[in-house]
Amino acid sequence: MAAEAILVEGARKRYGEKDALAGLDLTVGRGTVHGLLGPNGAGKTTTVRILATLLRHDAGLVRVAGHDVRTEAREVRRRIGLLGQHAALDEELGGRQNLEMFGRLHHLGARRAGTRADELLERFGLTDTGHKPVRQFSGGMRRRLDLAASLITDPEVLFLDEPTTGLDPRGRGEVWESVRSLVGGGTTVLLTTQYLEEADRLADRISVVDRGRVVADGTADELKTRVGADRIDVVVRDGARLDEAAALLPAARAEVTVDADRRRLSVPVADRMASLAETVRALDAAGIEAEDIALRRPTLDEVFLHLTARETAPGAGREKEVAA
Ligand SMILES: Nc1ncnc2c1ncn2[C@@H]1O[C@H](COP(=O)(O)OP(=O)(O)OP(=O)(O)O)[C@@H](O)[C@H]1O
Ligand SMILES: [Mg+2]
């Protein structure tokens, strides 16, 4: 049995002139949760569809659960589950009826489909929904039922394409709980998301995807460390003196993020306390009044913006994105 549940090497997919995947690499260990994190159009769904054998890639090696998606698609299909970006539930049917239908579609016998439906309803806290049609479900309940449906065949590898997009915080929390409970059972999960917090909470490892490529991967902590351990934020009282203050900060000018609307400067620092003291002294000597000065670790948002910054578009770089 292959050591990894998912192995992608140099995957390419082109739509007309457009490279949806431009040489994507990905390795996911068995029994882990891997986050594929990227902005709209990064290539997340394209990747998931190729892995799930719904779309053919143009070039590269793609293996799932030890089988090649192109030459052994049947073997792959037998071992995977997919929760698509858009749900496939029947609105008029109840939760149990939906799950039974999915079971029958996957060639489970009537009795087996029924017991499997009951097991999954219980596992996701949906037993009490009775015959209530899905259209009366809350967003979180709906997504949990989706998740249950994707698990009908007890897959080795589960793909979740933006499982919590559009849910309120409570619904999101419910789905997170459900995903966590899966992993104890040994299921490998590949999760796509635009929410940094989601990747941070659920994923053992994260691959940041941008324009069809992985631009960074590691644990959330590793990614944070890569961008610069700590930052100093300064809020200047007089917005007119923001640029002057920026020039005084203990870092190369290019590293300073300027948020003019909030009169805030932010800069990565190597030496926390010394840099903080130096900042206070320099501002004081220049007679620039600070409303607030704080030391902090970078947020995952900053890591993400840093890694996906558009180097090719002058003037549309990191500063602007942070300020927006
Ligand atoms: N069927 C298609 N025909 C043409 N272009 C496509 C097609 N599907 C995707 N693309 C393009 O390929 C790129 C990657 O799309 P993909 O759907 O994989 O992105 P995504 O990361 O899932 O984005 P989102 O967060 O919006 O779901 C995008 O530029 C998209 O416009
Ligand atoms: Mg998508």
Side-chain angles (χ1 to χ4, degrees):
M1 203 156 76
E4 60 280 317
I6 297 172
L7 179 65
V8 180
E9 286 174 3
R12 297 186 165 270
K13 177 70 193 177
R14 176 170 273 230
Y15 291 109
E17 291 291 284
K18 163 125 200 131
D19 278 324
L21 295 188
L24 185 120
D25 299 312
L26 182 67
T27 305
V28 180
R30 286 185 187 268
T32 66
V33 180
H34 197 100
L36 213 54
L37 180 65
N40 285 126
K44 302 180 299 293
T45 298
T46 302
T47 303
V48 165
R49 290 178 53 83
I50 289 169
L51 289 167
T53 77
L54 297 173
L55 184 69
R56 275 175 84 91
H57 53 295
D58 301 328
L61 175 75
V62 182
R63 295 178 71 81
V64 174
H67 298 275
D68 187 297
V69 294
R70 199 177 272 162
T71 57
E72 303 168 287
R74 277 173 63 102
E75 295 299 319
V76 172
R77 269 180 220 134
R78 197 175 293 166
R79 292 170 171 80
I80 61 170
L82 169 66
L83 177 73
Q85 199 165 351
H86 305 286
L89 299 169
D90 187 317
E91 298 284 312
E92 299 307 318
L93 298 180
R96 189 173 191 279
Q97 290 168 299
N98 262 289
L99 293 181
E100 276 186 295
M101 183 185 74
F102 273 91
R104 299 304 300 270
L105 284 174
H106 284 93
H107 310 295
L108 299 184
R111 182 179 307 194
R112 181 74 194 113
T115 49
R116 187 72 184 134
D118 289 333
E119 281 164 26
L120 288 167
L121 288 173
E122 169 144 16
R123 182 152 162 198
F124 292 109
L126 295 167
T127 305
D128 297 337
T129 57
H131 288 281
K132 183 155 109 172
V134 166
R135 69 184 140 76
Q136 293 175 14
F137 278 29
S138 71
M141 284 165 67
R142 214 174 250 269
R143 224 43 189 145
R144 278 184 285 152
L145 186 60
D146 272 338
L147 200 54
S150 69
L151 287 169
I152 282 283
T153 55
D154 199 12
E156 275 176 50
V157 183
L158 180 65
F159 302 109
L160 305 177
D161 196 4
E162 302 202 18
T164 66
T165 295
L167 295 185
D168 61 15
R170 180 185 166 159
R172 190 167 298 166
E174 290 173 3
V175 171
W176 287 349
E177 273 310 304
S178 303
V179 172
R180 281 206 199 89
S181 76
L182 287 178
V183 187
T187 312
T188 304
V189 178
L190 180 74
L191 159 106
T192 81
T193 183
Q194 299 187 40
Y195 299 116
L196 299 135
E197 192 194 356
E198 183 158 287
D200 202 4
R201 295 257 192 124
L202 290 181
D204 299 305
R205 296 184 69 81
I206 298 170
S207 295
V208 180
V209 187
D210 190 31
R211 291 179 285 181
R213 275 199 187 88
V214 172
V215 294
D217 58 15
T219 63
D221 278 343
E222 283 167 4
L223 292 176
K224 285 176 191 171
T225 304
R226 262 183 71 165
V227 170
D230 296 297
R231 303 186 73 88
I232 292 178
D233 286 357
V234 179
V235 179
V236 176
R237 191 171 300 281
D238 179 2
R241 303 193 72 183
L242 204 57
D243 285 336
E244 197 186 332
L248 296 172
L249 294 183
R253 181 69 186 81
E255 290 184 294
V256 181
T257 306
V258 182
D259 180 345
D261 292 342
R262 298 193 183 89
R263 290 175 279 116
R264 188 169 61 198
L265 305 168
S266 178
V267 63
V269 293
D271 183 338
R272 300 162 52 91
M273 296 317 283
S275 299
L276 186 61
E278 193 188 320
T279 302
V280 173
R281 270 198 307 271
L283 292 174
D284 197 41
I288 298 174
E289 210 182 326
E291 220 165 72
D292 191 35
I293 300 184
L295 250 182
R296 61 180 179 81
R297 280 209 77 188
T299 64
L300 208 48
D301 283 286
E302 283 162 334
V303 175
F304 185 68
L305 285 174
H306 181 87
L307 294 170
T308 60
R310 299 276 187 265
E311 312 91 4
T312 48
R318 187 173 159 217
E319 263 97 325
K320 280 251 178 67
E321 288 184 37
V322 170

